[in-house]
Amino acid sequence: MNGDGEFLCKGAPIGALPLQPLGGLAVLQAISARFAREYQVFPLEVDRGVLRFAISDPADVDRVDAVRRQVEGLGVVPYFAPAEEISRAIDRYYVGDDEEVGEDPGPGLAVVSNRKFSLNLRGGEARDRVLSPAPDEPITEMVRKLIMDALERRASDIHLEPLARSVRVRNRVDGVLQEVGGASKRHFSSIVSRIKILSRISIAERRRPQDGRLRLRERGRDMDLRVSVVPTLHGESVVMRVLDGASSRLSLGDLGFDPAAAAGWRELTSRPDGLILVTGPTGSGKSTTLYSALNSLNAPGRKIVTVEDPVECQIEGINQVTVHREIGMTFACAMRALLRQAPDILMVGEVRDRETADLAANAAMTGHLVLSTLHTNDAWGAITRLSDLGVKPFMIATALKGVLAQRLVRRICQRCRVPAELSLQERRAIAGLGGDTDGLAHACRGKGCEACGGTGFSGRTGLFELLTISPQMQRAIHDGAATTRLKDQWRSEGGRLLLEDGFEKVRAGLTTIGEVLGSVSTQE
């Protein structure tokens, strides 16, 4: 801006355009506060389908293109203004830049032209809205309703998947994906941009995967959503994972522990030192179990630290560290740093390599209680896996105190539960696994009702296999005994397999035999 109040575009005088929104404050809705601060641009005027905006470098093609994508449907004309003038105008005319779903999403994604959007929710309910020249309510409301609809369905994940001619919207409920509708392919990029803004993800980047996080407050509960955006052949695929902090405060009974397993787990986690592992495939509830344990151990007299990738649930009073591999902050690097801070309890998100395994074992042998996870099919696989990672048998025998293997199965809806006979195929499958059908002859199933959405299931419960390292097993591990010998010793001490725990829950009417066989049929 020169002395006469003129802006320069690529060095040429354009005319008197003071650095203020000429179209009134409504023009500010063309660009969100967060976007304006991130890209250092300021909207001046929208006239005849063209947005004029101030930028410190009109020749910066990337930033100008980002503005063009932000206001899809409008032309854009950049005007030069000093960076300090732009910052001053943003601070003057924008009030705050927080855009959290659930309270006040703010101006958010800006569109100042008339455009039509549609988003199908609840299996076909169309919602078509036409934007007025100023507000951008339709996009913000559509994203809000998309998230709230998923939460009402108790979804753990929201999937937005661009296909060749449409966009599929699916929710993962009780571990199963359910298609709930679609979104307009033409305007899908605007929906993705809105989600990116809420998650503090760059909307200018469309070629690389990005991760973000957004927080919302629903019915008095704070909830986080972890957002992953990945470019695909037909557009950017978005997955929002619901991180419900309330799940970390569940009791052992809520998780599905029977009294004997609960007592054994409490005894393990109350030890002053040692390595305790939770095993199972992805999505088996390992993190929830560990968070529940940390919550029960959290007290002013203990220093608890965690290393996670990423931090899923934030717990007051615990020091939580996120892994950043791009800057060298790996699990092992973070562990070495945190161990110098004299923690009582260390939780490591996952043992993935030899260095992390050695550090965990050494920490467990030097007075720390270490909790972590491994991806193995059963509790016995943890011992083999540690050995494969290069941990010496004497270290495993000394450090390892217990292993909890677990699975998640869907819980029968209690409102529509009815008796059900086992099929011949199910009886043969049980017999083939060495199971006993006594007490399973009159199992239960859910016939489907409005409360469970016709699925017959509502919620999930855990199946558990708890291996506590006794002195006899410790000596056997030290001597390099075979897994079969260790397993026989554990069975003689009263250990119960995942499959057996599953059968007990079938007898109790909590789940179906199909759920149990589907989750642990690979167990030997």
Side-chain angles (χ1 to χ4, degrees):
M1 186 166 62
N2 61 22
D4 296 325
E6 293 182 332
F7 284 96
L8 304 179
C9 179
K10 298 182 181 179
I14 296 301
L17 287 174
L19 197 55
Q20 64 183 38
L22 295 181
L25 294 180
V27 75
L28 297 178
Q29 294 179 335
I31 294 177
S32 70
R34 184 171 295 119
F35 182 90
R37 288 191 170 91
E38 180 178 354
Y39 290 92
Q40 282 299 288
V41 294
F42 185 77
L44 299 170
E45 183 181 35
V46 176
D47 181 38
R48 298 177 185 178
V50 175
L51 168 70
R52 295 178 173 85
F53 66 96
I55 186 172
S56 60
D57 182 7
D60 188 335
V61 177
D62 290 338
R63 281 201 290 165
V64 173
D65 284 346
V67 175
R68 184 175 290 109
R69 288 191 294 267
Q70 172 80 342
V71 294
E72 181 182 356
L74 294 179
V76 296
V77 176
Y79 288 82
F80 169 80
E84 60 270 16
E85 291 289 338
I86 294 174
S87 296
R88 190 176 298 116
I90 291 172
D91 292 339
R92 178 180 178 184
Y93 290 104
Y94 284 105
V95 180
D97 62 354
D98 289 333
E99 299 172 329
E100 296 181 352
V101 175
E103 295 294 336
D104 181 10
L109 180 67
V111 188
V112 193
S113 59
N114 290 330
R115 297 186 300 169
K116 189 175 183 180
F117 296 86
S118 66
L119 178 66
N120 297 326
L121 299 176
R122 298 192 176 281
E125 179 185 354
R127 303 168 190 259
D128 295 334
R129 307 193 48 186
V130 178
L131 294 176
S132 60
D136 61 327
E137 264 185 338
I139 283 291
T140 60
E141 283 303 309
M142 289 164 69
V143 172
R144 181 197 294 269
K145 289 174 181 176
L146 174 73
I147 295 174
M148 295 307 165
D149 176 77
L151 294 180
E152 288 177 6
R153 295 169 179 266
R154 300 176 290 102
S156 61
D157 302 277
I158 307 168
H159 295 250
L160 306 179
E161 302 162 318
L163 307 177
R165 294 182 177 82
S166 63
V167 176
R168 182 170 58 184
V169 179
R170 296 192 290 177
N171 294 334
R172 189 181 297 278
V173 180
D174 296 334
V176 178
L177 280 172
Q178 301 176 358
E179 189 162 352
V180 296
S184 166
K185 178 73 172 180
R186 178 183 175 189
H187 304 296
F188 180 59
S189 61
S190 297
I191 297 172
V192 174
S193 294
R194 174 60 181 166
I195 294 171
K196 284 183 172 182
I197 290 170
L198 293 171
S199 309
R200 294 172 172 82
I201 293 175
S202 171
I203 67 171
E205 179 58 68
R206 294 188 175 187
R207 298 169 298 175
R208 294 186 301 176
Q210 296 186 85
D211 296 313
R213 194 180 187 114
L214 67 90
R215 171 165 288 188
L216 59 90
R217 186 171 180 81
E218 171 67 7
R219 298 172 185 172
R221 290 169 56 193
D222 289 324
M223 304 184 73
D224 288 338
L225 276 76
R226 193 172 75 203
V227 180
S228 171
V229 181
V230 176
T232 67
L233 182 62
H234 301 295
E236 291 180 291
S237 173
V238 179
V239 176
M240 293 180 280
R241 183 176 184 184
V242 180
L243 305 175
D244 187 358
S247 65
S248 66
R249 296 184 289 274
L250 294 174
S251 68
L252 296 182
D254 293 331
L255 294 175
F257 282 82
D258 64 25
W265 179 247
R266 288 194 189 95
E267 191 278 328
L268 275 179
T269 55
S270 63
R271 292 174 179 242
D273 54 29
L275 175 61
I276 301 171
L277 298 173
V278 180
T279 73
T282 300
S284 59
K286 300 185 296 296
S287 295
T288 299
T289 299
L290 286 181
Y291 277 124
S292 177
L294 291 180
N295 258 313
S296 65
L297 296 170
N298 193 10
R302 293 192 182 102
K303 183 176 179 66
I304 303 176
V305 297
T306 74
V307 184
E308 305 171 64
D309 183 22
V311 173
E312 294 192 5
C313 293
Q314 300 176 28
I315 303 178
E316 186 70 25
I318 292 180
N319 297 289
Q320 296 172 274
V321 176
T322 298
V323 168
H324 293 289
R325 292 182 182 81
E326 61 275 11
I327 61 172
M329 177 67 85
T330 61
F331 276 112
C333 177
M335 286 175 65
R336 281 194 296 269
L338 289 173
L339 287 171
R340 289 194 289 270
Q341 297 201 345
D344 298 297
I345 300 171
L346 171 64
M347 193 272 272
V348 183
E350 182 184 351
V351 175
R352 297 179 178 176
D353 52 54
R354 177 172 182 172
E355 187 177 13
T356 304
D358 278 336
L359 284 169
N362 276 295
M365 292 190 297
T366 55
H368 305 87
L369 180 64
V370 181
L371 308 176
S372 190
T373 69
L374 277 176
H375 283 91
T376 62
N377 285 331
D378 53 28
W380 306 99
I383 299 173
T384 304
R385 177 66 176 147
L386 289 174
S387 179
D388 290 343
L389 287 173
V391 183
K392 299 185 184 306
F394 81 89
M395 292 182 67
I396 299 175
T398 305
L400 189 63
K401 303 303 179 184
V403 183
L404 178 73
Q406 66 178 69
R407 296 289 191 279
L408 285 178
V409 294
R410 290 185 291 176
R411 186 189 292 263
I412 297 172
C413 176
Q414 299 302 297
R415 295 191 181 184
C416 60
R417 184 175 67 175
V418 295
E421 295 285 339
L422 292 181
S423 67
L424 179 61
Q425 184 180 6
E426 288 173 334
R427 291 177 181 273
R428 287 176 176 173
I430 295 171
L433 291 168
D436 186 359
T437 58
D438 290 346
L440 298 177
H442 298 285
C444 296
R445 67 175 180 87
K447 64 179 182 180
C449 64
E450 184 178 355
C452 63
T455 64
F457 297 97
S458 179
R460 289 191 287 180
T461 189
L463 308 182
F464 300 98
E465 177 180 287
L466 182 62
L467 164 63
T468 302
I469 306 300
S470 65
Q472 293 82 1
M473 282 190 284
Q474 189 177 39
R475 286 193 292 271
I477 294 171
H478 185 280
D479 296 338
T483 300
T484 52
R485 178 184 162 191
L486 295 173
K487 192 172 183 177
D488 290 342
Q489 176 63 37
W490 174 70
R491 296 284 280 166
S492 70
E493 296 173 2
R496 188 167 70 179
L497 299 171
L498 274 168
L499 190 64
E500 293 169 335
D501 190 41
F503 289 162
E504 285 300 317
K505 288 180 168 62
V506 172
R507 293 186 182 97
L510 296 177
T511 190
T512 66
I513 195 66
E515 285 290 301
V516 174
L517 295 178
S519 65
V520 298
S521 59
T522 58
Q523 181 172 332
E524 296 180 359

